[in-house]
Amino acid sequence: MEWEGELLEAGTVPCSMYSVLLKNGRIENPYYRENEKEAMKLSGKDCVFRKTFFVDEALQNAEDATLCFEMLDTLADVYVNGTLVGKASNMHRVWKFSVKDCLKEGENELTVKCYSPVQYADKMIAKRHIWGQDEITLPGYQYIRKAHYMFGWDWGPCLPDMGIYRGVFLYDAKAVQVENFRMQQKHEPNHVSLTIVPELGGNTAGVHCVKVQLTDVSGDVVEQKIEGGYQAGEQVLFEIDQPELWWPNGLGEANLYTLTISVYGENETLLDSYEKKIGLRTIRISRENDEWGQEFCFQVNGVKVFAMGSDYIPEDNIIPNITHEHTRELLHHCKAANFNCIRVWGGGYYPDDEFYDACDEYGLIVWQDNLFACAVYLLDEEFEENIRIETEENVRRIRNHASIGLWCGNNEMETAWECWGIPQEEDLKEDYDEMFEHIIKDAVNENDGVTMYWSSSPSSGDYSIAANDFNRGDVHYWDVWHGMKPMKDVFNYYFRFCSEYGFEALPNKKTLDTVLLPEDCNLYSPAMEVHHKCVDGNHKLMFYMQCLRMPTSFEQLIYATQLMQAEAIRMNVEHMRRNRGRCMGSVYWQLNDSNPTVSWSSIDYDRRWKALQYFCKRFYAPVLLSAVEDGDVVQFHISNETMSDFTGKVSWRLRDNRAHVVKEESFEVTVDALSASCVAKTDFSDTFRMETDRRKYYVEYLLEDANGKVMDSVMQFVEFKHFEYLEPTIDIAFKENTSEFVLTFSSDVYVKDVCLDLKHKDCVFSDNWFDIHGDRKVEITIEKNSVGQQLTLEELKKELTIMSMYDIGRRG
């Protein structure tokens, strides 16, 4: 990379201005302390990438030698051997430039000059200021087809990078290639008719035969052929008996078939081949009118699914830092925590194919936003063509994934026009309607035509009804957190599908230690405030801290914020799941981070689980027992998100703070498949002779399935800060076998929300943030291959740290 007259080693693609400067030691880590402020200024300069490459005789003689960039960020001129071959203006598009006339046999030079996105945004916003999230971003980001989050967000730094991501390659555009295929599925009982339409590029005159093979889950292969040449639109049909359907996580197996398309020329010469995993399934959005308004839910293979997931944002502000391994690991964490859904937020970029491959394999339904968020857009002919091609290309790339469940035009723009107080400029409102009711919608439907398009999130689906109407469509709910309403405010609402709601927490201390010094570890230090972007975020954290005793250390503060976050989301999820049928979707904000920061994520930047991610394993469990109090009466509910009736045993035990059982009850229950039911109500009013007795008693409730698996939880009658926790003596028995460590916990008293961690190493515990009820043992396992480095049993004993609710507000 050429930078200020100096040539710096860029390495291989992906690479960017920031990644190259970091690699060559020209800048410090932009995430470290307050470095972001200086690093951001570098985005105001242009940069140049250069590379020499060799062309052989075959490519030199190609009919139409073409240079392809699969992701070029963003405003760039491309030169080959000093000749300008094309310009790029959209990081979400694939750019192809004919280079036949500039190539030479042997050594060639490729030059990509990237122009500052900041300078461009400044120039455009000076011509006409249009509304955007200027309080948290650099103005003008909506003028450039670049991932909006790069300009700053309320969880991320302002680092508008420039670079080359994904593949860069030369090919002969006239040579036959399998570019894609279209697919139609007709489902009948125990049968699927699958139509495949191969899409070939290049000169297809020499094609003699197209073979399409379908390999099922067992490895059996069926082949169909198109013979006698190829004409666009020709199709093959597979009739599949007893199909193995693709199901979301928790409802069945995410079965995938392998589709192979091979193109042959004369004498059975293989010209090109293409392979893709596909799933046999139907996914639609059910919007049936009902007694509450209008339903909004995913319906997979005819089954209405309660969506359980989170919102995904880009995994790093410096895109070359993202690896396919890390993406797959992140999505595997979702499956492990019982997710069946994930929403790709519209302020980032369309993820790599590997993201969707993992969602296919893990049974995660993808809600895919188109890449427009929290902004007003000015439409002209050039912008219209740019976004139309962008949408067409990405829909074609993603449409055949089994996991794709919904296309959504934008994030929060319909509700912004309606009630955010933005200037009501008529030409821009008309542009909005044209973009999301015509241009984007038509591009999606013409290039997919199977998966539903939803114009905005949130939306009621009807401009005459409020976008964020609680009785139809999807909702973004922020009264808890931004509105600073009590956590239990959620009990007042019955959202049809909540696609955004959230609560902030600090990340793991080890994550913060990578970007802070010890003296920075204070919520109000300058460096800490740089790593907390939410407007009035500290004020909101402290407001909700009133539920707890005041932490006396930074480590306690981290614990406290993570617990509050997990509790806030738990309350909402359990409430919605208790009302299954009326409420059919929980997608909380947000899954992950793009940098080490205070945010709404459940997994932090270094992929460490916060309390919330562990809570997800429980409240997103396929069968959930939850409790809700109404005065002294406690209701017990079972939510069954499986395809089978649930039969098991419910138990509750009223315990004191020493974990002694005061009274208890057990009873058998049966709950229908795909339903929620109140299975018991218990009045505890005779327990409390004095109001202060509430501080000493709690209810442990347990659900045991037919296989003896037990899930337990706790309900207290007072806020955490008022409960009289006793000092515990926690006993731990350590064992190991060939694959895991086994830790068995017990105590002399009740211990609430036991948080385990390792001082220097990392792992995912089988459970965490759990309760100990006296001498009733709790077994926790650690898979040895989940530990980042080799660890012996003796080292584990030294590494393990423990904190519980008792510790909060106590010194030393």
Side-chain angles (χ1 to χ4, degrees):
M1 184 180 82
E2 184 178 313
W3 179 257
E4 296 183 332
E6 182 181 10
L7 286 178
L8 302 177
E9 175 61 39
T12 58
V13 170
C15 60
S16 74
M17 177 193 71
Y18 284 118
S19 73
V20 173
L21 293 176
L22 276 166
K23 178 181 178 180
N24 287 271
R26 295 302 187 270
I27 60 171
E28 295 182 355
N29 179 0
Y31 303 147
Y32 186 70
R33 302 194 79 204
E34 300 177 63
N35 285 352
E36 174 198 335
K37 298 174 184 178
E38 290 301 314
M40 186 271 288
K41 297 176 183 177
L42 302 177
S43 300
K45 302 179 181 181
D46 303 336
C47 69
V48 178
F49 296 89
R50 299 187 191 279
K51 180 176 179 59
T52 56
F53 62 97
F54 288 84
V55 171
D56 60 20
E57 183 178 358
L59 193 54
Q60 171 67 24
N61 295 326
E63 229 182 306
D64 187 8
T66 298
L67 176 64
C68 178
F69 291 85
E70 292 185 319
M71 193 175 186
L72 185 52
D73 180 16
T74 291
L75 304 172
D77 291 345
V78 179
Y79 299 82
V80 173
N81 296 324
T83 299
L84 177 67
V85 296
K87 295 175 175 287
S89 60
N90 187 330
M91 74 176 283
H92 310 306
R93 285 177 55 182
V94 173
W95 293 95
K96 298 178 180 181
F97 307 115
S98 179
V99 294
K100 176 176 175 57
D101 294 337
C102 10
L103 288 182
K104 58 185 180 181
E105 191 171 344
E107 186 174 279
N108 293 256
E109 183 181 65
L110 171 63
T111 303
V112 178
K113 183 175 183 180
C114 292
Y115 295 95
S116 165
V118 175
Q119 290 186 36
Y120 182 84
D122 287 346
K123 180 181 71 173
M124 297 305 293
I125 206 74
K127 291 182 179 179
R128 180 175 179 180
H129 186 278
I130 54 179
W131 183 88
Q133 294 275 63
D134 294 357
E135 188 176 14
I136 57 174
T137 67
L138 280 181
Y141 62 90
Q142 61 271 63
Y143 276 108
I144 179 172
R145 293 310 298 149
K146 176 179 175 66
H148 290 351
Y149 83 104
M150 290 180 159
F151 291 87
W153 219 259
D154 55 3
W155 38 258
C158 179
L159 297 170
D161 208 353
M162 296 163 269
I164 306 168
Y165 320 131
R166 296 182 185 156
V168 181
F169 54 90
L170 283 165
Y171 73 106
D172 184 357
K174 293 294 186 183
V176 174
Q177 62 228 270
V178 184
E179 293 183 335
N180 206 325
F181 64 96
R182 294 197 74 149
M183 174 171 60
Q184 291 285 337
Q185 301 182 30
K186 181 181 179 182
H187 286 243
E188 298 173 338
N190 301 313
H191 185 85
V192 172
S193 298
L194 174 67
T195 301
I196 301 295
V197 182
E199 296 180 342
L200 307 188
N203 185 351
T204 60
V207 173
H208 283 222
C209 175
V210 179
K211 295 181 181 179
V212 183
Q213 291 184 333
L214 187 67
T215 305
D216 68 17
V217 177
S218 302
D220 294 331
V221 180
V222 179
E223 182 177 279
Q224 301 286 357
K225 296 181 182 179
I226 298 172
E227 297 184 290
Y230 166 81
Q231 297 293 324
E234 288 190 280
Q235 62 190 38
V236 298
L237 176 64
F238 293 93
E239 299 288 359
I240 306 164
D241 290 322
Q242 302 300 320
E244 297 181 85
L245 301 181
W246 183 92
W247 288 99
N249 187 31
L251 289 179
E253 295 298 317
N255 294 306
L256 295 172
Y257 288 63
T258 302
L259 185 75
T260 306
I261 301 174
S262 302
V263 182
Y264 295 88
E266 191 176 6
N267 300 321
E268 287 287 302
T269 303
L270 180 63
L271 302 178
D272 195 26
S273 65
Y274 175 101
E275 185 175 289
K276 186 77 174 177
K277 298 283 188 181
I278 64 170
L280 302 181
R281 91 295 184 262
T282 61
I283 299 182
R284 62 182 291 268
I285 300 296
S286 175
R287 297 177 61 203
E288 296 178 6
N289 293 329
D290 57 25
E291 60 188 293
W292 303 291
Q294 190 178 79
E295 181 179 60
F296 190 95
C297 78
F298 286 108
Q299 190 169 10
V300 182
N301 302 325
V303 175
K304 293 180 179 179
V305 178
F306 188 103
M308 301 184 288
S310 186
D311 294 286
Y312 169 87
I313 65 171
E315 296 166 50
D316 210 298
N317 275 78
I318 303 173
I319 290 177
N321 290 346
I322 302 170
T323 68
H324 295 155
E325 293 75 18
H326 288 169
T327 298
R328 181 167 284 272
E329 178 187 5
L330 182 66
L331 294 170
H332 187 267
H333 289 326
C334 294
K335 179 180 180 180
N338 295 311
F339 288 35
N340 62 20
C341 178
I342 194 161
R343 173 180 172 236
V344 180
W345 171 70
Y349 60 90
Y350 294 100
D352 292 0
D353 291 335
E354 286 74 12
F355 173 92
Y356 301 100
D357 289 342
C359 290
D360 293 345
E361 294 172 31
Y362 297 151
L364 300 174
I365 302 170
V366 176
W367 171 313
Q368 178 66 61
D369 279 5
N370 295 104
L371 301 181
F372 305 88
C374 302
V376 169
Y377 300 90
L378 179 62
L379 191 61
D380 59 23
E381 289 185 7
E382 181 180 352
F383 191 80
E384 176 178 344
E385 180 185 29
N386 207 355
I387 62 174
R388 178 183 55 76
I389 296 172
E390 166 195 322
T391 306
E392 291 172 345
E393 288 182 352
N394 284 285
V395 169
R396 286 198 293 264
R397 176 170 69 91
I398 299 167
R399 68 188 176 196
N400 292 318
H401 284 274
S403 53
I404 290 297
L406 180 73
W407 298 102
C408 181
N410 67 74
N411 175 74
E412 296 188 333
M413 282 315 305
E414 184 180 333
T415 192
W417 274 113
E418 186 178 284
C419 59
W420 285 13
I422 66 178
Q424 298 292 302
E425 300 173 83
E426 287 303 318
D427 63 327
L428 297 178
K429 290 176 73 174
E430 291 173 3
D431 287 350
Y432 174 86
D433 184 72
E434 181 65 21
M435 284 176 63
F436 298 108
E437 295 298 337
H438 299 281
I439 299 167
I440 306 299
K441 181 179 182 179
D442 291 348
V444 169
N445 290 337
E446 289 168 10
N447 290 277
D448 185 333
V450 175
T451 305
M452 176 176 152
Y453 172 82
W454 187 244
S455 63
S456 185
S457 178
S459 178
S460 64
D462 185 339
Y463 282 167
S464 68
I465 299 172
N468 215 30
D469 187 276
F470 293 161
N471 295 312
R472 64 195 67 238
D474 73 306
V475 165
H476 291 190
Y477 172 76
W478 285 105
D479 286 356
V480 173
W481 186 255
H482 287 306
M484 297 175 67
K485 292 284 186 69
M487 290 184 189
K488 290 186 178 180
D489 186 64
V490 299
F491 296 155
N492 296 321
Y493 305 104
Y494 301 88
F495 312 121
R496 308 315 303 265
F497 193 113
C498 199
S499 51
E500 264 196 38
Y501 63 101
F503 198 100
E504 278 198 332
L506 275 70
N508 190 288
K509 177 68 160 52
K510 289 177 287 189
T511 299
L512 288 174
D513 284 344
T514 64
V515 294
L516 298 178
L517 294 174
E519 57 264 34
D520 299 325
C521 293
N522 182 293
L523 204 55
Y524 293 92
S525 73
M528 192 70 212
E529 288 190 333
V530 167
H531 291 83
H532 191 184
K533 305 294 187 184
C534 175
V535 176
D536 292 330
N538 284 343
H539 175 56
K540 292 165 185 172
L541 278 177
M542 298 310 295
F543 171 80
Y544 286 105
M545 202 72 69
Q546 296 175 73
C547 299
L548 297 169
R549 296 186 180 185
M550 186 55 62
T552 58
S553 69
F554 193 63
E555 289 77 9
Q556 288 186 19
L557 177 69
I558 292 172
Y559 175 101
T561 63
Q562 289 200 15
L563 179 62
M564 287 295 91
Q565 178 192 43
E567 285 290 335
I569 304 304
R570 177 191 65 80
M571 287 183 189
N572 206 337
V573 173
E574 290 185 351
H575 171 65
M576 287 190 281
R577 290 194 66 183
R578 283 193 289 269
N579 291 278
R580 189 198 194 280
R582 186 174 185 178
C583 307
M584 287 301 289
S586 159
V587 179
Y588 68 81
W589 185 269
Q590 67 207 61
L591 173 66
N592 59 302
D593 284 326
S594 70
N595 66 107
T597 188
V598 182
S599 81
W600 297 267
S601 71
S602 57
I603 299 176
D604 74 23
Y605 176 71
D606 287 331
R607 298 179 303 286
R608 296 182 173 108
W609 286 30
K610 295 182 183 177
L612 174 54
Q613 191 70 15
Y614 283 103
F615 274 46
C616 285
K617 286 186 71 174
R618 301 172 202 155
F619 60 59
Y620 279 165
V623 181
L624 169 71
L625 174 64
S626 64
V628 61
E629 60 178 307
D630 181 9
D632 293 328
V633 177
V634 177
Q635 299 179 7
F636 298 98
H637 294 250
I638 292 180
S639 306
N640 180 10
E641 197 60 30
T642 73
M643 303 279 275
S644 303
D645 294 349
F646 174 83
T647 299
K649 184 171 72 173
V650 172
S651 304
W652 61 258
R653 296 165 186 161
L654 179 68
R655 294 179 181 264
D656 64 19
N657 54 1
R658 294 187 178 277
H660 297 155
V661 176
V662 178
K663 56 182 175 180
E664 60 184 320
E665 183 183 3
S666 297
F667 47 90
E668 301 295 322
V669 295
T670 298
V671 178
D672 292 344
L674 304 168
S675 73
S677 177
C678 178
V679 295
K681 296 180 181 180
T682 304
D683 190 341
F684 290 95
S685 58
D686 62 351
T687 303
F688 313 117
R689 290 173 297 174
M690 301 172 59
E691 187 65 24
T692 54
D693 288 344
R694 296 174 180 275
R695 303 174 187 173
K696 301 177 183 179
Y697 294 92
Y698 69 97
V699 177
E700 175 197 16
Y701 51 95
L702 307 94
L703 181 65
E704 183 177 349
D705 66 18
N707 298 316
K709 181 180 178 182
V710 176
M711 295 160 277
D712 72 329
S713 193
V714 156
M715 196 204 71
Q716 296 177 176
F717 294 97
V718 294
E719 291 184 295
F720 295 126
K721 65 182 177 182
H722 290 151
F723 195 90
E724 295 181 9
Y725 300 104
L726 301 178
E727 183 174 7
T729 300
I730 299 176
D731 294 319
I732 313 173
F734 292 84
K735 292 191 299 185
E736 70 173 314
N737 55 45
T738 55
S739 62
E740 62 186 11
F741 298 107
V742 182
L743 286 62
T744 304
F745 294 82
S746 61
S747 175
D748 55 338
V749 297
Y750 167 50
V751 193
K752 179 79 174 114
D753 289 309
V754 177
C755 173
L756 308 179
D757 201 359
L758 303 181
K759 293 176 184 176
H760 306 102
K761 303 181 190 298
D762 289 300
C763 71
V764 174
F765 298 93
S766 62
D767 194 14
N768 206 346
W769 297 82
F770 55 88
D771 306 319
I772 304 175
H773 306 286
D775 60 2
R776 190 166 75 79
K777 293 178 171 51
V778 178
E779 185 175 282
I780 305 296
T781 60
I782 305 170
E783 292 184 10
K784 290 182 176 180
N785 62 11
S786 79
V787 182
Q789 299 164 292
Q790 288 295 105
L791 190 68
T792 67
L793 187 61
E794 290 305 310
E795 288 172 333
L796 173 61
K797 294 177 182 179
K798 295 175 182 177
E799 277 276 313
L800 188 69
T801 65
I802 303 175
M803 186 177 290
S804 74
M805 188 68 79
Y806 172 81
D807 299 307
I808 304 306
R810 291 177 168 84
R811 298 189 181 275

